[in-house]
């Protein structure tokens, strides 16, 4: 093969590689943008939860722990965040948080969505502060056969918010604590599945959060480009409208506005091209260097996998042959009996 043909082949291969890398890069950026958008609501919820616990003087790890347990039971991050945020205002210690988590689990086990735990925790919070039974707490007591009037008398005898919270928590844990244990035992696989899903959601959310600044920069860049086109588009729209009305000189104005838009677009394209080329060259050179560096390890891994497959295949073939040899007497006996 001549040097010219070799060079041409090399350039063609490099071109294909560059196009492939560019396509993969565009797809990766698109995927990251989609991930950032799709996880924004989840990240917002988690941010609210962290803020609620920090405002209450509790650790962020405690917030994550309570949320994880409640979400494992509910399988609904929105409900789990809301209930956890109410508990942050209701509890002072991790022990109290743990008991309230048991209460919520037991209530959900017995009543499901008919008594939403975020309503219960909100009502318990309000009752502890005001001393008056309300909302979901009244349901949790009444449905368990506890006299609302008698419980109100006990609340009236308390001298502080902390005493009222302890009374509410102690009463509910006695009622629903066993149900919580039974639910966790009977639905262990489901709870673990919900936790695993949330762990995956959290990992994706962290990636989305890492890409958020880049996403913001891309949006700002796009907004800046569009803002520069606004005057030209406005002028073109007005000129086109005037042209339809037969206004003298409208055609020339329309041509000038379209020419201005085209000039603006070309200028922006020329401004962007150097940056795109620089990023592309850097990306290709980095990937090429990484591929060259990793090539020996990749080849070794391929040979290791291939050798293991060959050994495994040889073992399977040996077992099949041995089993076939062992079965020959049985075949002979079966044929004799058949004859």
């Amino acid at each position: 093969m001549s040097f010219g043909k070799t060079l041409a082949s090399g350039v063609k291969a490099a071109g294909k590689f560059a196009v492939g890398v560019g396509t993969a890069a565009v797809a990766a950026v698109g995927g990251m943008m989609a991930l950032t958008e799709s996880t924004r609501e989840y990240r917002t919820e988690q941010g609210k939860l962290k803020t609620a616990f920090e405002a209450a003087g509790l650790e962020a790890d405690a917030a994550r722990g309570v949320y994880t347990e409640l979400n494992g039971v509910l399988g609904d991050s929105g409900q789990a965040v809301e209930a956890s945020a109410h508990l942050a205002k209701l509890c002072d210690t991790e022990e109290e948080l743990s008991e309230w988590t048991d209460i919520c689990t037991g209530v959900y086990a017995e009543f499901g969505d008919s008594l939403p735990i975020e309503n219960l925790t909100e009502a318990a919070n309000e009752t502890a502060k005001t001393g008056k039974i309300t909302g979901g707490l009244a349901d949790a007591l009444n449905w368990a056969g506890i006299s609302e009037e008698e419980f109100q008398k006990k609340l009236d005898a308390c001298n502080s918010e902390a005493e009222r919270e302890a009374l509410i928590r102690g009463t509910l844990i006695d009622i629903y604590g066993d149900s919580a244990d039974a639910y966790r035992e009977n639905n262990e696989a489901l709870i673990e599945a919900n936790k695993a899903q949330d762990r995956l959601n959290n990992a994706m959310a962290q990636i989305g959060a890492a890409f958020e600044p880049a996403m913001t920069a891309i949006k700002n860049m796009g907004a800046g480009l569009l803002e520069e086109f606004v005057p030209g588009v406005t002028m073109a729209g007005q000129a086109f409208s005037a042209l339809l009305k037969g206004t003298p000189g409208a055609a020339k104005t329309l041509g000038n506005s379209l020419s201005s838009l085209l000039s603006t677009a070309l200028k922006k394209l020329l401004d962007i091209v150097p940056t795109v080329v620089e990023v592309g060259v850097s990306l290709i050179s980095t990937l090429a260097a990484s591929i060259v560096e990793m090539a020996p390890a990749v080849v070794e891994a391929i040979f290791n996998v291939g050798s293991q497959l060959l050994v495994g295949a040889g073992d399977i073939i040996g077992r099949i042959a041995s089993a076939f040899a062992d079965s020959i007497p049985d075949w002979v006996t079966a044929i004799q009996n058949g004859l």
Side-chain angles (χ1 to χ4, degrees):
M1 181 181 293
S2 67
F3 174 76
K5 290 183 177 180
T6 302
L7 179 61
S9 299
V11 171
K12 186 177 181 181
K16 288 182 178 180
F17 176 73
V19 170
V21 170
T23 302
V26 170
V29 171
M32 292 296 286
M33 292 176 68
L35 181 63
T36 302
E37 292 284 358
S38 65
T39 61
R40 188 170 289 121
E41 182 178 354
Y42 179 90
R43 287 184 281 121
T44 300
E45 290 178 347
Q46 295 299 312
K48 291 178 181 178
L49 178 60
K50 184 178 179 181
T51 301
F53 270 69
E54 288 178 348
L58 296 168
E59 296 292 334
D61 289 343
R64 187 66 193 172
V66 172
Y67 164 80
T68 299
E69 291 303 317
L70 291 180
N71 187 67
V73 172
L74 299 171
D76 186 312
S77 62
Q79 279 186 290
V81 165
E82 189 174 346
S84 300
H86 290 317
L87 293 182
K89 298 178 181 179
L90 189 62
C91 303
D92 295 322
T93 67
E94 291 192 21
E95 181 180 355
E96 292 174 3
L97 286 170
S98 177
E99 289 190 346
W100 271 106
T101 302
D102 287 342
I103 291 169
C104 291
T105 302
V107 169
Y108 180 79
E110 293 199 21
F111 305 117
D113 292 333
S114 60
L115 179 48
I117 63 170
E118 66 271 27
N119 291 353
L120 170 63
T121 52
E122 181 182 12
N125 210 334
E126 184 176 347
T127 300
K129 286 177 170 56
T130 65
K132 301 298 181 182
I133 301 173
T134 184
L137 177 59
D139 292 336
L141 294 171
N142 291 329
W143 295 354
I146 302 295
S147 169
E148 190 174 331
E149 182 179 348
E150 292 299 319
F151 191 79
Q152 183 63 60
K153 290 179 181 178
K154 294 180 181 179
L155 281 174
D156 294 338
C158 294
N159 297 316
S160 67
E161 180 182 335
E163 287 186 17
R164 289 191 289 270
E165 184 279 325
L167 172 64
I168 297 169
R169 174 164 43 87
T171 302
L172 294 181
I173 197 70
D174 287 342
I175 299 172
Y176 298 107
D178 291 340
S179 296
D181 293 337
Y183 185 85
R184 291 192 182 102
E185 182 178 350
N186 294 330
N187 298 276
E188 182 179 1
L190 178 61
I191 292 173
E192 290 303 314
N194 288 336
K195 289 182 178 180
Q197 181 61 53
D198 185 70
R199 183 181 176 188
L200 177 61
N201 293 343
N202 189 56
M204 291 192 297
Q206 291 183 51
I207 294 174
F211 194 73
E212 190 77 76
M215 183 87 163
T216 301
I218 291 171
K219 288 181 177 179
N220 282 329
M221 183 176 68
L225 288 172
L226 291 176
E227 286 168 356
E228 293 200 28
F229 281 108
V230 169
V233 172
T234 302
M235 184 185 300
Q238 293 172 347
F240 186 72
S241 177
L243 180 64
L244 293 179
K245 294 177 181 178
T247 304
K252 184 178 180 180
T253 303
L254 178 60
N256 291 336
S257 61
L258 293 176
S259 177
S260 175
L261 283 173
L262 180 60
S263 297
T264 301
L266 289 174
K267 182 178 180 300
K268 288 300 175 185
L269 179 62
L270 292 175
D271 290 341
I272 293 172
V273 165
T275 302
V276 174
V277 171
E278 182 181 356
V279 172
V281 170
S282 175
L283 179 62
I284 292 172
S285 61
T286 301
L287 287 176
S290 299
I291 291 171
V292 171
E293 182 180 351
M294 295 175 60
V298 172
V299 172
E300 183 180 354
I302 291 173
F303 274 100
N304 286 339
V305 171
S307 62
Q308 291 177 14
L309 288 174
L310 289 174
V311 170
D315 183 55
I316 293 173
I317 293 172
R319 292 182 181 181
I320 293 173
S322 177
F324 182 75
D326 292 340
S327 67
I328 289 177
D330 295 332
W331 282 96
V332 171
T333 301
I335 291 172
Q336 290 176 342
N337 291 338
L339 293 175

